[in-house]
Amino acid sequence: MKKYTSSHCWLFVLILLICGSCQSNEKQHFRIGFSQCGMDDRWREEMVEGMNRELSFYPELSMILKDSKWNNQTQYAQIEELINLPVDLLIVSPNDSKLLEPVITKAYQKGIPVLVVDRRVFSDQFTAFVGANNLVVGQHAGEYANILLNGHGRVLEVGFGPRTAPAIGRHNGFHSVIQKYPHIQYVDYLNKDWADKDLREALTQKLSKNPNLTDLIFAHNDRCALIAYDVCKNLGIEKKVKFIGVDGLVGNNLGLDLVKKGIINATILYPTGGEESIRIAAKILRKQAFEKENELFTSVIDAQNVNIMLAQLNKLKEQHADIERQATRIKDLTKIFSSQQAVLYLSFFFLILLLLLGAVLFYLFRDRQESNVRLSEQNEAILNQKNEIERISLLAKQATEDKLRFYSYISHEFRTPLSLILTPTQDILHRKTLDARETRQAFLLIQKNANRLLRLVDQLLELRKVDSGKMELNRQQHDLVSFIKDIVNDFQVKAKSQQIDLQFICPFKTLPFSFDAEKLDKVFFNIISNAFKYTPDGGAIHISLLKNVEKLEILIADNGIGMTQEEKERAFDLFYRGNQNISLGTGLGLALSREFLTLHQGEIEVESQKGKGTTFKIILPMLASEDIEGISQMPHYTKEDIEPTVVVDTPAVQHHENTLVLIEDNPDLRLFLKQKLQQFYNVVSVETAEAGWTEILSNIPDLIISDVMLPGMDGFSLTQKIKNDFRSSHIPVILLTAKGQTENQIEGTRAGADAYIPKPFNQQFLEEKIKGLLDNRDRMRRRFSGEITNPSQIQKGERKFLVEFELLLEKHLTESTLSVEKLSRELGMSRVQLFRKISALTNKNVTDYIADFKLLKAKALLKESDKTISEIAYELGFNNPSYFTTFFKQKTHQTPSEWRNS
Ligand code: FRU
């Protein structure tokens, strides 16, 4: 659900207010329909002008004007048209009131307000009437005629339509007044829907017959009065006839002008009612109070008041002009205003649109931002999930690798004791006669290794138990001091045999403590065994016990080979992936120890420095009221478990031709192999690859046997080192290892090993292998003993060595003082190393090799050069040419000259 914020609500309210204010400003507009009977005279023009002028004050009113051009049917139809539009109000200035009455009634009955102007209808079916009273107009004319005629004379009346209301009204008024005066004679009434020329003709006809017919003509409007005057003038009687007109319009040859010029004697003012009708129409439309009958003022205008009238009317006209100007101005301003208003509204509209758009954009932006945030949150979550999955899969991969490694370690760890069970067994089985001492030793070895296998299996099972949470703690109170002391004592025999200084340092005589003796026994046993494993003969292992109120600390410190930082960090990790040389026995033992200590709410820490030693710190929390009473019997490992060295090192009795260097960290296997091999070879046995390398360099042996998994440098690295160093590169290497997989063999071969024998191995097979490799080397030596330079059969590395050696010889050939020491120094070897190397490769000693080299060189020089024998002798480093001749003859049984000439 999207939330509408308060800003959205405010915007909505603002829009409503703006729309409301726009609506309230807009006034209701009215349409007025105006049916005018004719427009071809000034009076009616003035009526329309007056209306328009007035309309300018009512912007809400507009007018539709219809001119019927004096045709009654047309006017009728036009009124109907206006009804049907419909208009809001109808103004009718009828021609023939009688004829138009039905359509006016129709409009009125339809609910359209009808305003009749000038000529009234005879029904009451209209809303209002505006116009002057024609009866009064006629009466004014009658009275004024009497005045003009001074009570005596004849009058002629001219009307403009028998059925029109003004004609009827004016005639009735005039006639009724004239009748009052006995000496005024009403001569005739000429009344028709005159066209001007028809009237002119009719009057001419009438007066030309009898020019004295009348003394006064009353015409119903000024236009007809002027026609009458014209006719009289034509007849030359205009001076004796008086004229009265109606309308009193301002303008050239209109009513007032005619009076002023003396053409007519008077005019009866008859206002058009234009302005008034609009005023009343507005009142009706605005639903304001109005009069139904609105009579307009009328009066007589003659020479007496025409000027005042004119002045007033001109003033009025000027005012009208002003008004019109102002109206135009107002109109213009209104136009400007409305266009500005339109612009304003438009701007307002666009502003609102803009605001709306802005709001929408803002909303969209916010929405987008929110969805972006959501999206990035989702992305992050996905990324986290991905990372988590990757992490878990990495962990799973590592766990699988660890497990695989663990299993390969297990098999490795099982292979060494198995070798030490199988090899002596095979040995005994192959013997024809059995020596009691040797047989006992073999069985001790078998027993020890069977026990070792058993212990390994036990440890594995215990770890599994801890892992599955089934291991329980059986705490009982014991004296911790005597407990540790007993364990340490058990190791004393081993310590003595290895000249290791083993001490238990404790400030207390007793220390009651509640613990699971069986488990802590394994912990101490493991850690002390471990210390022994990595402490060389002659080293020290010190165990100390410290205590404060809260905890106990037991330190097991040795000055053995120590650990690297990585080995230290992973010391307790069962599936340790780092240096593969760490023994599973250690790994299992330490991992198990940590688990047992955790069960005691204790901890184990390790401090170690490579080459300096290792200290394990066991921390056990002091529990409440440890007391000495009730100390129970403490089970612990038997002395047999301490892995005594069962194979006794018997010194070699014989000296043999070939020397072997044997590198094996398992003391039993090392001694076992040594004993077996020293029957045929001189054997130098060591525990580590580092020690092995030292022995190799000092002895330059004929063959090397090495284990692969060794503490420190492993067998592969050692092999590489041997094969890359020209002092030792010629020595065959046999890798003897528990790592039996093909890939390990490939690794060994790649390192340059000459043979790879997996454990458990067959002793006879090993012996045959050694023999084979040595024979091979001898064969090779024999083959090359006759040649000197660059024998192609020699291994590439060795060939390189010989080439380098011969180059060195070339360089120093002329020197008579050239010695083996000097050559070996330049090669970075000792004299013995060089001697052994050349001898191993060529079966010659270095001196013989140099002599043979010089001989070959001499032979070549004698045959291929012109040099003298003396020159050759010096060139080959002989101080004296006769020495050279003796040397040459000794080797070839020919003198150099004989050789050259042969
Ligand atoms: C104009 C006119 C006026 C007269 C009026 C009466 O058409 O003849 O001269 O006063 O009509 O309706």
Side-chain angles (χ1 to χ4, degrees), residues 37-38 40-44 70 93-95 118-119 134 160 164-167 170 220-224 246-247 249 270:
C37 53
D40 57 349
D41 66 60
R42 184 61 205 138
W43 189 84
R44 290 190 186 268
W70 302 109
S93 172
N95 180 32
D118 171 31
R119 300 183 181 181
N134 284 297
F160 47 73
T164 65
R170 289 173 195 180
H220 281 191
N221 62 27
D222 295 329
R223 203 176 76 235
C224 294
V246 177
D247 285 347
L249 295 170
Y270 186 74

Side-chain angles (χ1 to χ4, degrees), residues 720-788:
Q720 256 172 352
K721 208 172 166 74
I722 294 166
K723 295 297 176 183
N724 288 335
D725 192 307
F726 61 78
R727 293 170 291 181
S728 55
S729 54
H730 62 282
I731 308 170
V733 177
I734 296 176
L735 284 178
L736 197 63
T737 180
K739 286 190 143 190
Q741 286 92 343
T742 322
E743 60 266 29
N744 300 129
Q745 295 190 22
I746 292 170
E747 201 181 340
T749 314
R750 203 173 282 158
D754 297 81
Y756 197 97
I757 301 176
K759 288 178 188 172
F761 56 87
N762 183 301
Q763 176 66 23
Q764 245 184 326
F765 177 74
L766 173 69
E767 285 168 11
E768 285 306 317
K769 198 83 206 171
I770 299 168
K771 204 166 160 293
L773 282 170
L774 289 173
D775 286 352
N776 218 15
R777 190 205 55 170
D778 285 343
R779 262 199 311 281
M780 200 172 74
R781 267 204 309 213
R782 272 195 300 281
R783 192 177 311 144
F784 303 130
S785 58
E787 301 168 24
I788 292 180

Side-chain angles (χ1 to χ4, degrees), residues 367-384:
D367 200 50
R368 177 77 172 270
Q369 256 188 343
E370 275 168 21
S371 54
N372 274 350
V373 169
R374 271 202 303 279
L375 215 70
S376 66
E377 277 170 4
Q378 280 172 0
N379 275 349
E380 208 179 290
I382 290 168
L383 202 75
N384 286 343

Side-chain angles (χ1 to χ4, degrees), residues 155-158 186-191 194 198-214 217 231-232 235 237:
V155 291
L156 175 70
E157 190 181 358
V158 177
Y186 186 87
V187 182
D188 202 356
Y189 178 32
L190 302 179
N191 186 20
W194 303 113
D198 294 340
L199 177 61
R200 196 176 290 275
E201 267 176 28
L203 269 175
T204 308
Q205 214 181 6
K206 192 113 188 148
L207 290 174
S208 58
K209 267 193 209 158
N210 180 9
N212 298 318
L213 180 72
T214 184
I217 296 173
V231 171
C232 290
L235 295 172
I237 56 170

